[in-house]
């Protein structure tokens, strides 16, 4: 299993619309509107790194009103 956080910048005022669209993607496990240098933070999960690349490049980055993304692949985690 490959998981990553994707930090997203949207067009001004498009946060809710993008959040709604992301919530419909099965690979999206969490999606949040945040304050700070990014507009949304999304946690995605898939079976391979190649599928992760496709999700970010072919699905998320091509969505209308998304200006930029930064992806951090999770190397190791602890869940409490």
């Amino acid at each position: 299993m490959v998981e990553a956080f994707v930090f997203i910048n949207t067009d001004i005022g498009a946060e809710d619309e993008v959040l709604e669209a992301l919530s419909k993607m099965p690979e999206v496990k969490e999606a949040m509107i945040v304050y700070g240098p990014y507009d949304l933070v999304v946690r995605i999960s898939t079976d391979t790194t190649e599928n992760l690349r496709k999700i970010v490049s072919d699905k998320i980055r091509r969505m209308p009103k998304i200006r930029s993304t930064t992806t951090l692949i999770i190397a190791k985690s602890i869940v409490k």
Side-chain angles (χ1 to χ4, degrees):
M1 189 63 57
V2 180
E3 291 189 309
F5 286 102
V6 182
F7 297 84
I8 299 172
N9 285 312
T10 67
D11 289 344
I12 294 171
E15 300 87 355
D16 287 321
E17 181 181 339
V18 172
L19 181 69
E20 179 66 26
L22 289 166
S23 73
K24 296 176 181 173
M25 295 176 59
E27 301 88 359
V28 171
K29 303 306 175 190
E30 287 183 87
M32 298 149 272
I33 295 174
V34 297
Y35 295 121
Y38 300 100
D39 299 312
L40 290 102
V41 176
V42 178
R43 184 173 61 90
I44 58 177
S45 181
T46 188
D47 54 347
T48 67
T49 305
E50 179 60 21
N51 281 344
L52 174 66
R53 185 196 65 76
K54 288 178 182 177
I55 292 163
V56 174
S57 296
D58 298 343
K59 290 185 178 182
I60 294 175
R61 289 183 58 88
R62 293 180 187 217
M63 291 175 66
K65 302 187 180 178
I66 289 187
R67 293 180 150 236
S68 66
T69 65
T70 300
T71 302
L72 302 176
I73 298 174
I74 299 171
K76 184 177 181 178
S77 66
I78 297 172
V79 179
K80 290 187 171 189

